[in-house]
Each structure stands twice: as structure tokens, then as C-alpha cells.
Amino acid sequence: MKKRILAMAMQEETDIILARQRSRTLAAELAFDGQDQTRIATAVSEIVRNVLEYAQGGRIEFWLDDGDVPVFEIVVSDTGPGIPHLEAVLEGRHRSTTGMGVGVIGARRLMDGFTMTSIPGKGTTVTLQKHLPSRTKALTSATLNRISDLVAQQAKADPVAEVRRQNQEMMLQLEELGRRGEELQILNQELSDTNRGVVALYAELEERADHLRRADQLKTRFLSNMSHEFRTPLNSIMSLSRLLLSRIDGPLASEQEKQVQFIRSAAENLTELVNNLLDIARVEAGKTVVTPKEFSVEELFGALRGMLRPILIGDAVDLVFDDANDVPLLFTDEGKVSQILRNFISNAIKFTERGEIRVWCEWNQDTQEVTFKVRDSGLGISPSDIAVIWEEFGQVAGAHQARVKGTGLGLPLARKLAELMGGTVSVESQPGTGSCFSVTLPRSMRAANVSPMPQWTVDPDKLPVLIVEDNAADSFTLERALVSTRYQPIAVQTLAHARAVLADLQPVAIVLDVMLQAEESWRLLIETRQNERTVGIPAIVVSTTHEERKARSFGADEYLDKPVDPRVLVAALDRLTGSRSTIRTLLIDDEEVSRYLIRQLLPRGAFDLTEAESAMTGIDMAARIQPDVILLDLNMPHMDGYAAIEALSNDMSLRDIPVIIATSMVLTDTERARLAKAAKIISKFDITTPILVNAIRDVVDRTVKAVA
Amino acid sequence: MEQIPILRIGDCLLVSIQVDMHDRMAINLQDSLTTRIVETNARGVLIDISALEIVGSFIGRMLNNIASMSRVLDAVTVVVGMRPAVAITLVELGLELPGVKTALNVDRGLLLIRRQIDDGAEHA
């Protein structure tokens, strides 16, 4: 029996959509699967489009035939002009201009049954059939009514409105997206606010940390002061108890003796505590000075052995020091290394009842570090307690603790001392089998800043300037400042190297940085001022510490604040050496030895020395080279000094050249009067570099000023 | 009149067809898309039909047209997100889309376009 489910007329384009949507809905209701729903809807779409296109309207009916083979039937009919070449269309020979030329044939392929009749002038009818899937339940009329109602209801909705609705939905989604974007922005804002908050919090934390640091400093100062205060009365107690025990003031009853012994040992314990406290306070206050020196581990072990043997009680515990012959010499603070090891060992002794305490040293060539280890066969430390033992007063609670008392300061002190020397401490321990404490230290505390002695060759065309600067970067800056000047920088990084350079050559100036070890730097400066050979070398002190007055009081000729402007440095060098470096000095002396002496005394580079063996040649030379100063001997054959000075003053071109008389004679007043034209008279007896240099500079300066 | 929105992503245009298009809409889309390609100098066109349940011969022809037009305008067209049911139906319908490249999703579509542009640049 055939039942009509739905019928609708089609007039406009949007009806195509309506028709195919309905066919899809119906197919779905009739339990066709998704693929068949699409097939049916597509086929309907193809046929309906043709109807609208060729007949400008028509009608679609949906039927259900529940015969032997249940069939869903769709009949599309129009009253248009009909299809004149139906055959061609059905055979696929027709070329459509709208579709892909597959509309009708394609639709036929998609359906199970397809008939198309067309009467020219009357219209066309297309019947599409699809077998119902077997799972479709028997369709009662009630079901069919429900389906048609459903579809009719949907039909009320205008398809255009449907499209609009969907578009609106999309707009809503876009809006939603926009809102999400805004939300994100707000979130972002919140995050950056939070960030600001965190930054503010950090500042606050920093402030708190500062407070804590100050409190810590206060604590350290308190500790250090109090410990000192404690020591005095403790000393009294110890000495007094010692006095009592020595029975100088009469005998003690045995009970009394015991009591005094207790007083004494209590005082000793307290002293140890106070000493440790004081040490820690010193380290924390940065007052502990590390004084590195060279020593061998073998010697250190020897000393420790002697010190610690007496502490061992009984024979139950052995203290063994391993051979340390293969460890190279160390350059660090021996006292502090010894203190650390003493702390480790006495600790080990305290907690080891029987067995062995072994001390050895390992040398690591690669890292240039030594590791001292102290292993005991004592109680051991549980892992949870390991962190505690390095803290001040951090003692491990345990059965053994009741018997053995420590100050709780030994290990923290060891740690602090090790850190002071650039090292670390560590411990490995197994409860019950023992602990192994170790301290690792750099072999040499100077290793970091030891640089090889710089190599240089003196450039004969340049004036050597010694630069003493430990900071490589600053040194580089200073050297750079002198590039392409007439100075040759010779940079060294240590005072030892500076001394080596000074022993080797005579620079025209010294540029001295007041280094970390300021005292040493000042000492070098003072040394150069006291040494005859170097006193004439102008010294320029550069520093960040604004110590001009100090520098000048130690004899510096110039003081420059760091960072040094290259031009200022060169100007200073020019000023200090400039005129002098080109002080052309003519030496007139017949004695080879005297000439040699003065040649040696005058700093090379600062003086350009020309020598003449007689007054005659000297005067000729003076006329030729126009020296800045003439050093004149008095006692010479043929023409002596008196005559020479006379001759010089009579020559217009030579009369302005200052003359210094250098003589080994003791002059009478008359003789001095004869030499009134000489700028200065110096004695060859006690001639030294400073005397000579100062005399020449003095005279030249005066002449320059007079000329100016 | 409803419009299918055309979005610009870099030098590509994205057309996401979310509604069951009627024929005039499809023709409008053709027009506005070609205009936009010229306006934006787009090098690629992505047509997302993942929401379409029915692609008939008309839409098929429209896609083909768009592909041919954009090729003339030096843009590569890729149809993405075709549902399996739609694909099967298209084949059964006997509809071939010779000028239309397809990709599984927008990401792959963009990659395909990028590769095509690069290849084109090499050959040029």
C-alpha cells in the first residue's frame, strides 16, 4: 500500500534547499544510513534544480510503499515544456550548461529506481525510488503521521531564515571569539599586575634580607665581643684552679681536689666553646686573614700526629696517617688546614669507641686540588642528620651523644675555614660503620692570579714605561693608551715581576696601580723612592680609592683616579718625562771612569747623553748639538773647566746653556766665586742618581722658566 | 542577502561554507571571491566544506569554476574538509573535479598551498 508522507510545491530557488533538506530528514526518519541520506538528498537536489530551471516550478511528493519490498519513493513533477531530447539526456549525451552534465544520470546512479517521463508541452515527471533498509520497523500510520507532522513543522521555518539563523550563529561565534580575546587581554593585564606585585614583593624580600644581614652582622659582632669578654674570667678560673691543684696554698682534701678538677675541666670546655665561637665570629666578620705559605702535607701530618696522639684514650682506637709523599707542596694557610683536620680528627675520636681513624690526602692533578680525608669506624651519621652537622650548634641526637659532649661548633668552623681558602667540606657516612669527612682545597691560593713573567724586548726608539696593574682589563686599557705614543708599555701583573723589570732596565716612568694588596703596592712605591737607581723615575699612581694625598706622601709624582683617560695619562707622562726625556746632556770629562759612572747613573731614555773627552771638543759639540745642559769637569788637561765655562759664556749661541760643574775637588770660596756662571756645582764624591737627576732637572727647569 | 564570509590568512583566503548554499549564494560567492583575490593579491584559496552534507553537481561545478578562476588569477585553490559521505556521493554521481585540489583539513590545505606557491616560484 502506498502512502503519501508529504507533498510540497516548488517555486523559487530556496525551495531546492528545502526539498533536499526534507528528503534528508525523511530518509533519516526512515532509518536510512548517513550515506544513503546524502545520496537521496543529492539526487533530489539534482532533479529539483532541473525542474526549477526548465519548468520554473513544480511539485515534489514523498511516498512510502510498504509492499513486499518496501520502497521510499519521491515523485518530482512539473508542467513545463517537457524535455525534447529525453533519450539523449538519459544516455548522458546531453551537455548541460548548469550542472556538470551529470545531474540526471548521476541521480539515477544514486537511487535504486529511476523513471523519467516527459511529454513535450505537458511536463515531466521523475520518480526516484530507494529500497528501505531492512532495519526499518514496520511503519504504522501513526508513525507516518508523526513523521509528516515533524517535517511540516520544520517546513514552517523559512529556509532563508534558516540560513540567516546559521549565519547569525556564526556571528555569535565570532563575537564569542572576540570576547575570548578580550578575556585573554584582561588575563594578560592581570598577569602583568601580578608580575608587578611579585617584583614589589621581591623588593620587600630584599629589604627583609637586608635586615637579616644586618641582624646577622650584629650577631657576629656581639659574638666576637662577648667571646672576648668571656675569655678573661675563664682564664682566671683556669689559672686559679691550676693554682689550687698545684697545692701552693696548702693541701686539698680528696673531695676538694675532685671538685676543683671538675671546675677546671668545665672551664676548659667553656674555653673551647668560646674559642670556637670567636673563630666563627671572626670568619663571619671577615676578620680572619688567610696567610698562605708553602708547606708539605708530610710535615703537616707529622705535626698533627704529635698534637693528637695524646688525646687518644687507651688502645682501642688507632690514629693512622697515610703516606703523603706524592702530594706536591701546598701554598695555602697551613694553620687553618691544620685546624680543620684537628676538628675532623677530634670529632672522629669522640665518636669512635674502637677501631681506626685514618687520615690521608689525595691529589688531583686535573683540578689542582687536594682532598684531605678523615675516616673513622665510629657511630656514623644518619642521612637526615648530615645537613645538620654543618650548622652551628647542630648536634645529632643519639645514645652516644649523652656520653660525648661537643660544642657543636667544630664542624661549622671547619666548613667556614675551608670556604675561606676556596675549598669545600663534605661527609659520607653510614650509620654503624663510620663516617668519612673530607675537605677539598685548591693546591695553591695564588694559582688563580699567577701569571707567567711577561716577555718583552725594549724598543730602542721608544721610552719604556713600567705598568704595574693586576687587573688584566685595566692593564690592557693602560697599554692601549700608550700605543702609538713614544712610550713603550711594559705591563706586569705582580709586584715581583715589577721588581724584576726594575732590576733589568730603567723605565722613564712607573705607572702603579694600588692593588688589592695595597700595602704591598705602597711598599713598592716606597722602595723605588729609596733606591738610588729608581728614585729618578717618575711614578704615577692610579687607583680607584682616591688616595692622592697618601700617594704623594709616599713619593708619587702624579696621581690619577681610575678609570684613567688615555690622554690624561699620556699628558702626565709627557709632563713628567717629556722635557727630561729629551734632556740632551753634554758631558765634558777627560776621565773615562767618571764618564762611565755618570753614564750609568743617568737613567737611559730620560737623558740623551753625549760625551766629550776634552773641553775643546766639548765646546765644538755644544755648538753643534745645542744641549739642554752641560756637565763639566773642572780638572782637565789643555783647557780646564774654568776656561771652558768662560769660553761657553762668551759664545752667544752657547751662553744660555746651563752648566753644572761636577768635580771631585773640594772648592775654596775663591774658586767657587770663579764659577759664578755655573748653574750648579756638585761633588763627584757622593754623586748618586737622585742627586744627579735632581740637579739636572732643577737646572733645566730653571732655564726653561727663565726663557719662558 | 546572505554572504559567505571570506577571511584572510596571510596571503591566503579562507572560505568556510557553514550553510546549505542555494545556487545564487554560490554564484555570489564566486563573484566576491574573485574580487577578493584581486584585492588582496591572495596566492591561495582554502574552501572549507566540512559543514556541507550535500554537494550536488551545481556546487561541484561552482568549486571547479572557483578553482579555474583563481588559477587564472594566480592563486591555488584547495577544498578541505570534505565529508566521506559527500565524497562517496560525488564519485557515485560521476562528478569529477579535475581542477580542484583537495586536502583533509585546513592545516594540510595551507601546507599544500605553500608548497604549490614555492614550486611555482622555483619554476618561474
Side-chain angles (χ1 to χ4, degrees), chain A residues 495-512:
Chain A
L495 297 168
H497 291 166
R499 290 191 181 99
V501 171
L502 284 173
D504 218 42
L505 61 83
Q506 191 85 9
V508 298
I510 301 171
V511 179
L512 177 66

Side-chain angles (χ1 to χ4, degrees), chain A residues 333-347:
Chain A
D333 192 321
E334 183 179 10
K336 293 195 172 49
V337 177
S338 165
Q339 199 174 352
I340 293 172
L341 291 178
R342 272 203 315 274
N343 278 340
F344 283 177
I345 296 169
S346 60
N347 210 53

